[in-house]
Amino acid sequence: MAYKSQKNILVGMALLLFLAVVVPCSATTVDIRGEAIDTGAIDAGNISWDYSNFPGLYFAANKYTQLSAGAGEHLYFENDDDGGSLSLGSANPNANVIDEGELIYTTKQVASKYKVYSEVSNITRVTKFYTLSLFGTMYCAVDNDATKLAKILMQQSDNDKKTMKSGEEWSMKNGYSLVMNAVDVDGSKCYMTLYKNGEVLDTGVVSTDGSNDDKIYFVEDECSDGSDHIYFLTYVDSIFAGKEDNFAVLKYTWLSDKDSYMEVSSGDEFGNFEVDEAFASGLKLSNSNSISINVNAGTATPITGDLYFKASDEGKGSNGGYVFYPVKVLTVEDSSSMTVSKAEDTAVNESSSDSDEVVVDMSSDSNDGSDISGNTNSASENDNGSSAIETKAVENSVPGFELPLAVISISLVFLLRRTTLK
C-alpha cells in the first residue's frame, strides 16, 4: 500500500507540473515564392511579377477584372543602358547586378464595396471605397487618390457578428474602441461612443425602426484635402431588450486610422525604394541603390522590407545562367497555446482559441508602409517541391523554462522507475 501511495503521489506531482505550465504556441514565418526566372532563357523585358505569378502580391478573385486591366501590384526589371552593369536576362546569363532604378514597383488602387453595401439591400448612405496595397500593407486610397492614404485597420467579413451588451467596450487596433453605452428598453435604439486612446471621437444614436440606412453608424474626419471622409462605420443588425441584459448585434464594421493619413510625393523613400511618380491613378517606385543578387543557393538578397530574392548556384540555369525568384515573408502570430487537455494520460495537445483555421493578415501591422526596411535574414533553402509557400517555426518555447523542466522531468522519471522496481 505504501508503494502504491508513493507512486500515486509522484504521478500526481508530474501531472500538476504539466498542468501548471502553459507554453505559448510558436509564431510562424511564411515564405511566399514568386515564379522562378531562368536568366539564360528569358529576355530582360520579360522579367516581371504580378498577381498571376507571385502570390505575395495583392490578389482577390472578385477583383480579377480590375487586376487584369492593370490594377494592383507589379514588380519588374527595366534595363537602363546607362546603369553601368550588364543587363539581366538571356543576353548576359551570368549578370546579377540590378543597377539603381532598374527594379520597378508599381501599385494602383482597386475599387471595393463596403460590406454593408454589398450585403444589405437599399443602402445608399455608403457605397464604395478604394484600396491600395503598398508593399503588402493595405491602405484606403482616399477619394480614389493613390497619393492620399489611410491605413485600414479592420473589416468584418460577411459572416462576422459582434454582440455587445449595454456598457460593454469593444477594443480594436491602434487604440480605437467602441462602447455600447445603452440599449433602449423598447429594443429600438442603441447609443454608442467611439474612442481613441481613451478620448471621445464621436457619439451616435442608431435606430432600427427606420430604413436600413438608419441602421448605419459612421464617423467622419477631415482629411488632408479639407473634405470629410468616413473612417469608421458599423451596421446595427438587431437589438434585443430583456429583463436582465440588453444587447445589440453589429455587422460589417469597417475602420481605418484617421491619424495615419499619408500624402505620397515624388522623392519619398520607402525602405530601399524611392517614389519616381505619384499620381492619383497610382504610384511608381524604383530601387534607390544597386542590388547584387547573391548567386548562391540558400542565401537571401534583400529587396526591401519583407521582400527578398533567392537564387540557385551559378550555372544551374540555361546557357550557364542561374535561376532566381522573389519571396515575401509573412509572420503569422498564432494565439493558440500548448496545454494538457487529457490529464488522465498526460497527453499534451495544441488547442486553438476559436478555430483550426490560421488566418494570414495581409495588412501586416508590422509594416505601416512608411517604415519599410531591408530584411537581411537568410531563409533556409527548400527545393522539395513546387509549392509557392514555405513555413518555418520562429519560437516554440518559454525562455528560461527549458532546463528546469528537463531536470524535473528526468528526476520524476527516475523516481517513478525506482518506485516501480521496489
Side-chain angles (χ1 to χ4, degrees):
M1 292 296 292
Y3 152 70
K4 288 185 177 180
S5 176
Q6 186 177 16
K7 182 178 180 181
N8 288 338
I9 291 174
L10 290 171
V11 171
M13 288 173 60
L15 290 176
L16 287 174
L17 173 65
F18 279 104
L19 286 169
V21 177
V22 177
V23 183
C25 186
S26 63
T28 303
T29 60
V30 181
D31 285 1
I32 304 179
R33 301 202 307 260
E35 180 182 11
I37 297 294
D38 181 349
T39 61
I42 192 169
D43 181 78
N46 292 319
I47 300 176
S48 174
W49 299 271
D50 61 12
Y51 72 92
S52 65
N53 63 351
F54 185 12
L57 300 180
Y58 173 79
F59 176 76
N62 60 348
K63 302 293 191 298
Y64 175 76
T65 301
Q66 296 182 64
L67 294 172
S68 61
E73 298 174 283
H74 188 193
L75 182 69
Y76 60 96
F77 174 77
E78 186 176 79
N79 181 42
D80 181 359
D81 293 332
D82 297 329
S85 302
L86 294 176
S87 172
L88 301 187
S90 55
N92 308 286
N94 293 320
N96 68 325
V97 176
I98 301 174
D99 287 324
E100 178 183 341
E102 290 187 332
L103 186 62
I104 311 298
Y105 169 85
T106 62
T107 181
K108 295 182 179 180
Q109 61 269 47
V110 176
S112 302
K113 296 177 181 178
Y114 288 107
K115 291 291 184 182
V116 65
Y117 178 72
S118 298
E119 303 298 325
V120 181
S121 61
N122 301 318
I123 295 295
T124 60
R125 296 185 73 186
V126 296
T127 55
K128 61 184 178 180
F129 61 101
Y130 295 85
T131 61
L132 182 123
S133 182
L134 183 58
F135 293 111
T137 298
M138 189 61 68
Y139 289 89
C140 173
V142 180
D143 277 349
N144 192 20
D145 188 342
T147 68
K148 290 182 287 191
L149 306 174
K151 188 175 181 182
I152 297 176
L153 299 179
M154 70 166 292
Q155 178 173 247
Q156 282 184 302
S157 66
D158 301 353
N159 299 319
D160 285 345
K161 294 182 179 180
K162 178 66 176 180
T163 301
M164 296 189 68
K165 296 181 180 180
S166 294
E168 185 177 351
E169 180 178 10
W170 182 9
S171 296
M172 303 175 187
K173 292 183 178 180
N174 287 25
Y176 287 91
S177 63
L178 183 71
V179 174
M180 184 63 64
N181 299 314
V183 174
D184 195 304
V185 293
D186 296 329
S188 61
K189 293 185 179 67
C190 61
Y191 307 85
M192 294 178 282
T193 299
L194 182 68
Y195 294 83
K196 183 173 186 183
N197 297 325
E199 295 186 6
V200 175
L201 297 177
D202 187 82
T203 297
V205 179
V206 178
S207 173
T208 57
D209 284 343
S211 67
N212 285 338
D213 270 341
D214 295 332
K215 298 179 182 180
I216 299 175
Y217 169 54
F218 66 84
V219 186
E220 298 177 301
D221 189 49
E222 185 176 292
C223 190
S224 56
D225 63 356
S227 301
D228 287 337
H229 300 282
I230 295 173
Y231 66 91
F232 174 82
L233 73 81
T234 192
Y235 178 77
V236 182
D237 184 65
S238 53
I239 296 175
F240 298 91
K243 292 182 179 180
E244 296 183 359
D245 290 322
N246 302 326
F247 58 90
V249 178
L250 307 182
K251 298 180 67 176
Y252 314 121
T253 306
W254 185 91
L255 173 67
S256 66
D257 193 349
K258 73 179 186 68
D259 296 325
S260 73
Y261 286 134
M262 176 175 62
E263 290 196 58
V264 182
S265 304
S266 296
D268 289 348
E269 294 184 352
F270 291 83
N272 299 329
F273 277 75
E274 182 176 322
V275 178
D276 296 325
E277 299 176 2
F279 299 112
S281 58
L283 307 176
K284 179 180 178 181
L285 301 87
S286 64
N287 58 310
S288 54
N289 297 293
S290 64
I291 299 172
S292 296
I293 300 174
N294 194 331
V295 186
N296 185 6
T299 60
T301 302
I303 302 175
T304 193
D306 49 18
L307 286 173
Y308 64 88
F309 284 130
K310 291 189 75 173
S312 68
D313 289 326
E314 187 176 2
K316 295 297 183 179
S318 303
N319 302 316
Y322 59 94
V323 176
F324 77 107
Y325 55 89
V327 178
K328 179 176 176 62
V329 182
L330 296 177
T331 300
V332 183
E333 297 290 346
D334 190 351
S335 60
S336 59
S337 60
M338 298 292 290
T339 185
V340 176
S341 61
K342 294 182 180 180
E344 61 270 19
D345 59 6
T346 66
V348 179
N349 295 324
E350 182 177 354
S351 60
S352 299
S353 56
D354 292 316
S355 69
D356 294 329
E357 182 181 6
V358 177
V359 179
V360 178
D361 183 1
M362 295 298 290
S363 65
S364 186
D365 281 336
S366 61
N367 269 344
D368 63 3
S370 60
D371 184 19
I372 301 176
S373 57
N375 183 349
T376 57
N377 294 327
S378 296
S380 59
E381 181 71 16
N382 186 346
D383 293 325
N384 60 357
S386 59
S387 172
I389 299 178
E390 303 170 359
T391 60
K392 298 181 287 297
V394 177
E395 292 287 349
N396 197 23
S397 63
V398 177
F401 274 79
E402 297 91 339
L403 183 60
L405 284 177
V407 173
I408 294 172
S409 299
I410 293 172
S411 300
L412 286 172
V413 171
F414 177 72
L415 287 173
L416 284 171
R417 291 188 64 183
R418 283 191 62 189
T419 305
T420 303
L421 291 174
K422 289 182 180 180

